[in-house]
Amino acid sequence: MLNLALVIVLAPFVGFLLQSAFGRRLPRQGDWLTILGIGASFAAAVIVFGRVLGGEVLDAADPAANARWEWMRFGEVVWNVGIKIDGLTAVMLFVVTLVAFLVHVFSSAYMHGDPKYWKFFAWLQMFSTSMLILVLADNLLVLFIGWELVGLCSYKLIGFWSERQDPCNAARKAFITTRIGDLGMVVALMLIYSQTKSFAFEDMFRAASTGGLDQQVRTWASLGLFMAAMGKSAQFPLHVWLPDAMEGPTPVSALIHAATMVAAGVYLVGRTFPLFTDASLLVVASVGAVTAVMAGLIALAQNDIKKVLAYSTVSQLGFMFLGLGCKAWHAALFHLTTHAFFKALMFLGSGSVIHACHHEQDMRKMGGLWRKLPITGTTFFIGVLAIAGFPFVTSGFFSKDAILAGAWHAHPALFWIGLGAAVLTAFYMFRLFAMTFLGKPKDEHVFEHAHESPFAMTLPLLVLCALSVAAGWDLFHWHSKLLDPVAAGATAAGSIGHHEHSQFVMYLAITAGCVGLGAGLIVFRAMAPERLAALKRPFGGLERAFARKFGFDELYREVILRPAYVLANVLAWTDREGVDGAVNGIGRTAASAARGSGTIDRVVVDGAVRGTGAVILAGGDGVARTQSGRIRTYVAFGIAAVALILILGRIF
């Protein structure tokens, strides 16, 4: 089992090394090499999944599934690295490697002809490797290493088209925003280690269940972990980076949204769940519920097909955190699994649409594309039904229903917020589908040149379409068999709740999905455009607020970025052009102040550094002058020193 785990991690990592060194000179620029690498990783993950499902590994202390090696030693302090395989690991390995493999195959057609084709596949390999390190880690320190590598790879891939300004800005925004969240994990690491003297999950969970971890420290540490998850999984108020990340290539968006970066935050909270207290879980549930509704409202007014999907991801992640905060641990991680399939399906489907429409992303220029893209349109429609929770058939229905059931038992007020978010999800996703695939073409030029994507792009869509339906069917009770042993430890710590199935909640969930889809059908198919415009007119202010994303970007720019620019220019010496470019419209007064005070860095900071050096050099020069080689000079210094010692002795 451990050998398979090493194959899972090392196969894409070796692919990254070989592709980075030789990819440009290999046939097809090495895309086949990276596909083989992630394919080998997926094959090994399938074997691990099957063995764990078959009950081969159920004991957390099983040496076949857990290994630890010494990494660093500081006296009696030892830091280890290790591999941990259990049911949760097996599920995540399967999801990550499968989606990554399909994204690699899809990219071989989508990215064809790109000047940096070989480099793109190299970074896809490293992105997959980083997430696999995170998933297989047996302690929080190694998980943190994988966590930061995921952030680095996302920065490189979001800004992959670095010759354009927007992708560069989006990459920096993602990197900085997630680093803010990562401060929480650093604090959590220090708090936990200060009391447990270990980063291993088992040691931390044991301390939490036996009282070895102070309750207040446990609360603050778990909130720090959740802060890191808020950054990676784009939860309010650190959600602003994810929609802008759509500037990267569409396959990257699929990988980020389905199986790597944003999934890492939910996985972190799920893996460290026994550390969370009731107080911290209430924060998790509240933030998740607010994010689910807020992102859904913003998605209503977006016209870029990828940004609608981006905000739908933010909203669905909010659902997962709502489930975790309500102690519906199984349901939240089940939804993480099902969401990976239908969200990857829709992002790759949007990539197929963009590819067919010659990189057009504005839905207002689309329409009627189902006729031109029958495979893409059909599979995309199944994805819409899955995320809307179409009853009894799609995977999204089963996982979302379970989250709502958990919220109903834990926090009824948050349940109703989640139910409202479910209605919004079904409504705006049908809007996306109707504007893109139904009706008459809105731009004849775009429509006439549209064509179905090649087999390398449609095959992943068909596979993900099947999984978007079948993943919700608990055949052979696969989900409970995999996750129940993992949940046992958390239940011992008093964390995971158990809720009986509620027929009432199920009927409400069915109603929510049907109402959202039905309202979307009426508004965007049956209603005349003039009637729709008249209906929207009284709510113009709300629509503008949704379209502007509630002004979060403007708020952060005014409150954080502009003052930072002014301070930077006050402290730095720049020319007039540099100051004007940096402040970027802050105002004449601020710019004038920046120019007038720009000498602080040059005079005060540089002066202090250079002055220190000058004093040391002058002192050295003075001492050097005393080394004259003349005996009478040395005797005079000796007499003076003795006299000084005698005088000081009399004084003190």
Side-chain angles (χ1 to χ4, degrees), residues 281-291 321-322 325 414:
L281 286 176
L282 180 59
V283 174
V284 172
S286 301
V287 171
V290 170
T291 304
F321 284 114
L322 172 62
L414 296 181

Side-chain angles (χ1 to χ4, degrees), residues 357 360 362-367 435 441-444 446-447:
C357 297
E360 180 59 65
D362 192 337
M363 298 185 298
R364 292 170 296 185
K365 297 182 180 180
M366 299 179 187
M435 291 181 68
K442 302 177 184 68
D443 188 317
E444 288 294 337
V446 171
F447 180 78

Side-chain angles (χ1 to χ4, degrees), residues 388-427:
F390 191 79
F392 307 116
V393 178
T394 61
S395 60
F397 165 73
F398 297 101
S399 55
K400 190 179 295 184
D401 178 51
I403 288 177
L404 290 174
W408 173 261
H409 288 281
H411 303 291
L414 296 181
F415 162 80
W416 292 107
I417 296 176
L419 194 68
V423 175
L424 282 174
T425 300
F427 182 74

Side-chain angles (χ1 to χ4, degrees), residues 579-652:
V579 171
D580 291 340
V583 297
N584 192 19
I586 296 173
R588 292 183 179 178
T589 303
S592 176
R595 282 191 291 271
S597 305
T599 55
I600 290 178
D601 185 55
R602 186 171 61 88
V603 175
V604 178
V605 178
D606 289 352
V609 173
R610 292 169 182 162
T612 302
V615 169
I616 294 174
L617 289 174
D621 184 61
V623 173
R625 291 178 183 275
T626 64
Q627 306 301 313
S628 63
R630 298 176 180 176
I631 295 178
R632 62 184 181 186
T633 303
Y634 298 152
V635 171
F637 275 120
I639 294 172
V642 171
L644 181 62
I645 292 171
L646 292 174
I647 293 171
L648 291 175
R650 293 294 298 268
I651 295 175
F652 296 103

Side-chain angles (χ1 to χ4, degrees), residues 87-106:
L88 178 57
T89 306
V91 172
M92 291 300 297
L93 290 176
F94 179 80
V95 171
V96 172
T97 55
L98 173 60
V99 173
F101 175 71
L102 294 175
V103 167
H104 276 71
V105 174
F106 185 92

Side-chain angles (χ1 to χ4, degrees), residues 342 345-346 348-350 352-353 368-387 393-394 430 432-434 436-438 452-453 458 460-469:
F342 57 70
L345 168 62
M346 287 188 288
L348 294 183
S350 71
S352 180
V353 170
L369 290 177
W370 205 344
R371 286 173 281 169
K372 289 294 192 78
L373 289 72
I375 298 176
T376 300
T378 302
T379 55
F380 200 99
F381 183 63
I382 298 299
V384 170
L385 293 180
I387 196 173
V393 178
T394 61
F430 190 86
L432 182 155
F433 183 78
T436 304
F437 292 99
L438 303 180
E452 185 59 274
S453 299
T458 56
L461 299 181
L462 293 170
V463 174
L464 290 167
C465 178
L467 289 169
S468 297
V469 176

